Amino acid sequence: MLVRDGETVPGSLHARGALVARAGDRPHLARDPAGPVPELSGGDTVADAVERLRHKRASLALVRDVPGRLTGMVGLDDLLARLPHPAAS
């Protein structure tokens, strides 16, 4: 899940992280256990995007256009499905 704070996206939160935070004794804001969200540009290749998400250990990334406007998000699973698969032998 993406966590928004007005016009900014301070992070993403996995459902497991939300459950762990809720199990504690004190109240938490959604952004407290959220991890950073990598950003991609529309011109990044699929391979570069996959590498960036793996390096950041993230499953979601934001996509921005050249002026920096948020245009969408993409998941690691969606990117991996776009990579060419070697022919089965």
Side-chain angles (χ1 to χ4, degrees):
M1 298 175 276
L2 290 178
V3 178
R4 280 186 60 176
D5 185 7
E7 293 298 313
T8 63
V9 180
S12 67
L13 178 63
H14 192 279
R16 178 180 45 229
L19 291 172
V20 168
R22 186 174 179 187
D25 292 336
R26 58 189 178 105
H28 290 276
L29 296 174
R31 70 175 173 245
D32 292 342
V37 180
E39 294 191 4
L40 306 170
S41 73
D44 288 336
T45 67
V46 172
D48 288 340
V50 167
E51 181 61 30
R52 187 167 305 146
L53 265 69
R54 284 184 171 170
H55 177 73
K56 298 287 186 178
R57 296 179 184 237
S59 60
L60 291 175
L62 299 177
V63 181
R64 295 193 181 270
D65 63 9
V66 174
R69 292 181 299 228
L70 182 62
T71 58
M73 69 177 198
V74 66
L76 181 58
D77 289 341
D78 298 321
L79 293 168
L80 291 173
R82 296 279 184 178
L83 288 175
H85 298 284
S89 306

